[in-house]
Amino acid sequence: MNDHYLKKLDRVTAILTQLQSKPIVRAQDLAAKFDVSIRTIYRDVKTLENAGIPIIGEAGSGYSLMDGYKLPPIMFTKEEVLSFITAEKLMQKFSHQSLGNHYQTAMEKVRSVLRHSDKNLIQNIEKQIHVFNDHTQPGDTVKNVIPTILESIADKTQLVIEYKTVDSTVTNRTVEAVGVFFEFNYWYIMAFCTLRKDFRQFRVDRILQIFKTQTLFSQEYGQINDYRRYSNGEKTRVRLLVDKKIIGHIVNSRRYYGFIEETETENGIEMIFDTEWIDEGFPRWVITFADYATVLEPESLKTKLRNLASEISKKME
């Protein structure tokens, strides 16, 4: 069997996997994924049909497997099995507790279809992988809170939540959840708040009660990243001129402080931020590299940095 037919076999097998995992698969998406022409995809689909796979659909729309059709268990490669083990370790440390049990049962189903040799591989290697994470997730008041949120997003129905704010005030909100995200070691909901008529983010561990309703969303929403620009607090514009030699040390952390853009100049890198933490978090972050940075604006940040440096100096006497 020459290289051409081996590539076709791999591609046709991968297309079958796509059909098993998605409700509708478009020819143009498959062509882009495998870097071939759409006509080649049409021929590959025809090959599957000739092999007895009941595919519904046609060129120009999309393809799917006939409802109820069952295929034999998928055979995983050794590399895929090893990736499962690594992902499981990460999930054990970083997944929200309302998702953990569901992921565990899903992994048990995956393990059940592995070959005997792959099961031995897991047993031998899983104790050699460890993820160190000292942050302890707070306990939830509500069971299955994230699955409930995700169900409401899938069904496009509103949620009613009882929420405790940072100052311990308890409020009731009706929200339309756009998505969930993990940041600063906490899980958050990004949602449209019907009370405020604007987008808000809510920390999941501060939800005291949550109820699904039958009320449909009042509007359509895009992807969660389209709404990450919204926040609960007022922002302050900050401009810093930073020495190029220090950029590599702050390039990852800057996004947590409202980084927007940067411009290279003769004197260094000018960086612009919109930050909510101008009073505490931002000055304490800047002071870690203040000897390589100049504050261009606002003046209030210069004052805060001088006061902070003075307090540090006194403690060092």
Side-chain angles (χ1 to χ4, degrees), residues 116-153:
H116 183 71
S117 59
D118 290 335
K119 292 177 182 177
N120 288 336
L121 174 65
I122 286 182
Q123 187 173 7
N124 292 333
I125 203 69
E126 63 182 349
K127 292 182 180 179
Q128 307 308 120
I129 302 173
H130 189 80
V131 177
F132 296 97
N133 177 29
D134 295 329
H135 180 79
T136 302
Q137 282 283 352
D140 290 329
T141 304
V142 184
K143 184 179 180 181
N144 287 332
V145 59
I146 288 186
T148 300
I149 297 166
L150 296 178
E151 286 176 14
S152 79
I153 296 172

Side-chain angles (χ1 to χ4, degrees), residues 43-240:
R43 289 196 292 264
D44 290 342
V45 171
K46 190 65 176 178
T47 298
L48 288 170
E49 291 176 329
N50 292 338
I53 305 298
I55 298 176
I56 301 173
E58 57 185 29
S61 56
Y63 300 106
S64 62
L65 289 177
M66 181 182 292
D67 191 32
Y69 179 72
K70 301 296 183 183
L71 289 167
I74 295 174
M75 302 303 290
F76 298 106
T77 66
K78 182 180 293 185
E79 291 77 13
E80 289 169 339
V81 171
L82 291 172
S83 73
F84 290 153
I85 303 171
T86 307
E88 185 174 18
K89 293 291 183 179
L90 287 168
M91 286 293 290
Q92 288 171 355
K93 291 293 184 180
F94 291 102
S95 71
H96 189 268
Q97 65 184 61
S98 65
L99 298 174
N101 291 337
H102 300 293
Y103 183 82
Q104 188 63 43
T105 57
M107 277 302 301
E108 289 171 0
K109 292 177 182 178
V110 170
R111 289 173 186 250
S112 70
V113 301
L114 295 177
R115 293 171 296 187
H116 183 71
S117 59
D118 290 335
K119 292 177 182 177
N120 288 336
L121 174 65
I122 286 182
Q123 187 173 7
N124 292 333
I125 203 69
E126 63 182 349
K127 292 182 180 179
Q128 307 308 120
I129 302 173
H130 189 80
V131 177
F132 296 97
N133 177 29
D134 295 329
H135 180 79
T136 302
Q137 282 283 352
D140 290 329
T141 304
V142 184
K143 184 179 180 181
N144 287 332
V145 59
I146 288 186
T148 300
I149 297 166
L150 296 178
E151 286 176 14
S152 79
I153 296 172
D155 297 338
K156 298 185 183 300
T157 54
Q158 293 181 349
L159 291 168
V160 175
I161 63 173
E162 185 178 86
Y163 187 74
K164 183 171 69 174
T165 63
V166 67
D167 61 358
S168 297
T169 301
V170 176
T171 64
N172 288 290
R173 304 287 184 92
T174 299
V175 301
E176 298 176 356
V178 176
V180 297
F181 63 95
F182 183 78
E183 189 173 60
F184 302 125
N185 287 312
Y186 292 101
W187 282 92
Y188 295 83
I189 315 175
M190 179 62 70
F192 179 80
C193 177
T194 60
L195 176 65
R196 304 300 183 193
K197 303 298 181 184
D198 201 357
F199 293 93
R200 294 288 188 269
Q201 61 187 48
F202 302 91
R203 226 172 75 180
V204 168
D205 62 296
R206 291 181 180 157
I207 296 176
L208 304 179
Q209 294 190 70
I210 186 168
F211 305 98
K212 287 177 60 180
T213 73
Q214 299 301 313
T215 305
L216 296 177
F217 283 3
S218 61
Q219 54 188 311
E220 289 291 327
Y221 302 108
Q223 299 179 2
I224 186 172
N225 286 339
D226 298 334
Y227 300 92
R228 290 295 307 282
R229 65 184 183 274
Y230 291 97
S231 64
N232 294 359
E234 294 184 0
K235 294 182 178 181
T236 300
R237 174 61 58 96
V238 174
R239 290 172 55 234
L240 302 178

